Amino acid sequence: MKITYLCCSRFYGGVEKIVIDSLNELCKSEQVALIVPDRCEFLQRLDARVQIYEYKSRDKRYNLFLFVEIYRFLRSGGFEILHSHGAKAAQIGFVVEKFLNLKLVATKHNDRKAPVFDRVRNVIAASRKVATTINHAAKVIYFGIEPRLEFANHEILARCKDAEGAANEALKETKDARDGSAGTAGVSQDTPGVAFASQDMPGRAGVSQDRALDADASQNKTSSVLVLQQGANAAAENFKFSIVAVGRLDKIKGFDLLIRAASELKFDFELKIYGQGGERQNLQNLIDSLNLQDRVRLCGFCDDVAAVLSTSHLHVISSRKEGFPVILIEGIFYSPVLISTRVGGIPEILDEEFLYNVENLSDKIYEIYTEYEKFVGDFCKKHVGFRDILRLQNYITFLKKYYEELD
């Protein structure tokens, strides 16, 4: 098959990740290309086998010069399928398709109404909720990622178990050396920790204060080493419960709601928000007005989401609206615990226990803080089945089958 993708964005985000990952897989067996605006910022992420065409015309849906430019590229390449991502790209594709012998596919990523998807014959919906916003049948195909196993949460739990065993052995050695006279400092029962807890907790191990790992909880290091250190961080005097959120700094992502909820928390925490966007200054002003400068940070763009999620205690999606965000999939694989608002296709994947209403967000975070080990275990068990479904190869298999069956 000869397939070209059309994406009208210059900047890297969730939709662009889907486009890039899809093309990087498809190019292994098909001839593929990508049409994007000039000065696009994410082209270096593409496999060298992906042909790139950067259009120069003004990026308007009804610009005749843009239609002609894209038409010429598609005709010269003899492409069989044009796959558009997003409403603007779908509108452009809908016009160009009329003058070419190719099949248009449009992916709708969110549940906002966009009339063009009602006119396009072949539509892929990012979730079942998104599919309900289209007035004809659409194919629901969940996107997937290729997880980095060193950060995957089931691997984290296994490593924490190993770390706990090592801590038990270290504790035994210390007791033997001191003839049982040395005291141990465990974590109190109301302090969360993935791998370590107080000696009073059945089946859990206290940690000798002088044999605890040398962890600096005041820094959120993004390395797999910190995963093994989370329990030791819980034993440190400067322990902070780490909360993370990732996404474009846009009103729709609800980071202001998360910051306001954080201002109501009555325990020691740090909240790090990763992303770029037009709301940055407004969010910083809110942080300053609530005197949260020492607890809440806007950390800018993050290119290693797996490490950030896996080395935090809690991942929060606070969006006012969503389709089926990539950060949800990454959270299923990497986050020890993920909670979200009930928006878009998220409830199709995330168990009810991990959904919340905005007005109760601070209460939900406190509940997780006080019963952390329970939530870690529940999150892992209740979402294990989705780790097979939400894999990139699964998505590519369904996508290629869809292409092959197009009329």
Side-chain angles (χ1 to χ4, degrees):
M1 287 182 286
K2 299 183 73 172
I3 308 161
T4 187
Y5 275 37
L6 174 58
C7 178
C8 296
S9 171
R10 288 184 171 86
F11 308 107
Y12 184 69
V15 172
E16 293 70 39
K17 176 178 173 57
I18 292 172
V19 169
I20 291 165
D21 288 358
S22 300
L23 289 171
N24 286 346
E25 281 298 311
L26 288 169
C27 74
K28 296 174 183 178
S29 60
E30 317 295 336
Q31 183 178 335
V32 299
L34 172 62
I35 302 172
V36 288
D38 64 342
R39 303 187 308 278
C40 185
E41 296 184 357
F42 53 81
L43 299 183
Q44 74 281 0
R45 299 173 182 270
L46 285 163
D47 189 289
R49 289 169 286 187
V50 179
Q51 182 183 358
I52 298 169
Y53 180 77
E54 297 180 77
Y55 57 80
K56 306 297 190 295
S57 301
R58 288 187 63 196
D59 198 355
K60 300 295 182 183
R61 298 185 195 195
Y62 300 103
N63 182 0
L64 178 61
F65 296 103
L66 176 61
F67 294 149
V68 171
E69 187 177 351
I70 292 175
Y71 164 82
R72 287 174 174 170
F73 171 74
L74 292 171
R75 186 182 64 177
S76 65
F79 290 100
E80 304 165 73
I81 296 171
L82 172 61
H83 190 155
S84 63
H85 284 263
K88 182 186 290 187
Q91 182 64 56
I92 295 169
F94 181 70
V95 173
V96 172
E97 179 197 25
K98 299 180 184 302
F99 302 95
L100 288 165
N101 184 28
L102 54 67
K103 296 165 184 174
L104 173 65
V105 176
T107 292
K108 192 171 192 292
H109 293 277
N110 57 60
D111 58 8
R112 296 190 292 275
K113 193 64 179 173
V116 65
F117 292 102
D118 296 334
R119 299 195 295 270
V120 174
R121 180 176 181 181
N122 304 306
V123 179
I124 295 174
S127 71
R128 295 197 299 272
K129 177 66 179 297
V130 170
T132 65
T133 67
I134 304 163
N135 70 2
H136 61 81
K139 180 70 172 179
V140 176
I141 306 179
Y142 291 131
F143 182 64
I145 65 172
E146 195 54 50
R148 295 166 57 191
L149 293 181
E150 71 270 27
F151 291 113
N153 50 28
H154 62 285
E155 296 288 334
I156 292 171
L157 292 177
R159 276 189 243 151
C160 286
K161 187 175 181 180
D162 292 342
E164 180 184 22
N168 285 338
E169 186 61 31
L171 181 61
K172 182 177 182 301
E173 290 175 4
T174 302
K175 285 185 175 181
D176 290 345
R178 300 181 181 180
D179 296 323
S181 60
T184 61
V187 183
S188 66
Q189 291 196 29
D190 61 351
T191 304
V194 174
F196 303 87
S198 72
Q199 288 178 290
D200 297 332
M201 282 189 180
R204 311 304 288 175
V207 182
S208 170
Q209 194 169 36
D210 59 350
R211 292 186 66 86
L213 296 172
D214 182 18
D216 181 7
S218 65
Q219 297 180 6
N220 184 20
K221 301 175 183 177
T222 55
S223 72
S224 58
V225 174
L226 190 58
V227 173
L228 298 179
Q229 293 179 340
Q230 282 189 343
N233 288 348
E237 288 183 6
N238 60 348
F239 168 79
K240 290 183 180 180
F241 188 73
S242 57
I243 307 168
V244 67
V246 182
R248 186 178 71 258
L249 301 187
D250 187 284
K251 192 75 173 177
I252 203 169
K253 297 296 182 180
F255 294 130
D256 57 319
L257 304 175
L258 176 56
I259 292 169
R260 291 185 188 282
S263 70
E264 300 172 2
L265 297 177
K266 305 301 183 185
F267 57 85
D268 203 8
F269 71 92
E270 60 179 1
L271 166 60
K272 294 187 176 182
I273 299 173
Y274 290 86
Q276 301 178 127
E279 279 293 298
R280 182 182 178 92
Q281 190 57 56
N282 289 337
L283 293 174
Q284 187 59 59
N285 292 343
L286 179 61
I287 292 167
D288 295 343
S289 69
L290 295 172
N291 295 318
L292 292 174
Q293 298 93 328
D294 294 335
R295 293 188 166 195
V296 180
R297 285 176 50 198
L298 303 178
C299 301
F301 178 76
C302 174
D303 205 22
D304 196 352
V305 172
V308 164
L309 296 184
S310 66
T311 55
S312 300
H313 291 100
L314 175 62
H315 170 199
V316 181
I317 296 175
S318 54
S319 300
R320 290 177 166 90
K321 291 184 75 68
E322 277 291 356
F324 192 79
V326 172
I327 194 63
L328 166 69
I329 305 172
E330 292 171 320
I332 291 294
F333 280 101
Y334 303 130
S335 301
V337 182
L338 163 64
I339 60 174
S340 175
T341 46
R342 293 178 173 84
V343 292
I346 293 175
E348 297 170 28
I349 301 297
L350 208 57
D351 185 83
E352 177 64 25
E353 182 181 3
F354 300 93
L355 299 171
Y356 66 87
N357 297 321
V358 170
E359 59 271 20
N360 298 325
L361 176 53
S362 60
D363 292 337
K364 186 67 176 180
I365 294 174
Y366 182 73
E367 180 187 8
I368 292 169
Y369 171 79
T370 55
E371 300 181 67
Y372 189 67
E373 292 192 27
K374 170 191 176 299
F375 279 96
V376 170
D378 286 354
F379 184 80
C380 189
K381 286 184 293 185
K382 291 185 177 182
H383 301 102
V384 65
F386 287 107
R387 297 193 193 104
D388 290 327
I389 296 170
L390 300 175
R391 286 182 178 270
L392 180 60
Q393 201 53 54
N394 221 29
Y395 172 76
I396 295 298
T397 297
F398 283 112
L399 186 63
K400 290 172 74 171
K401 186 172 186 292
Y402 182 81
Y403 289 155
E404 291 164 358
E405 293 176 351
L406 288 173
D407 295 331

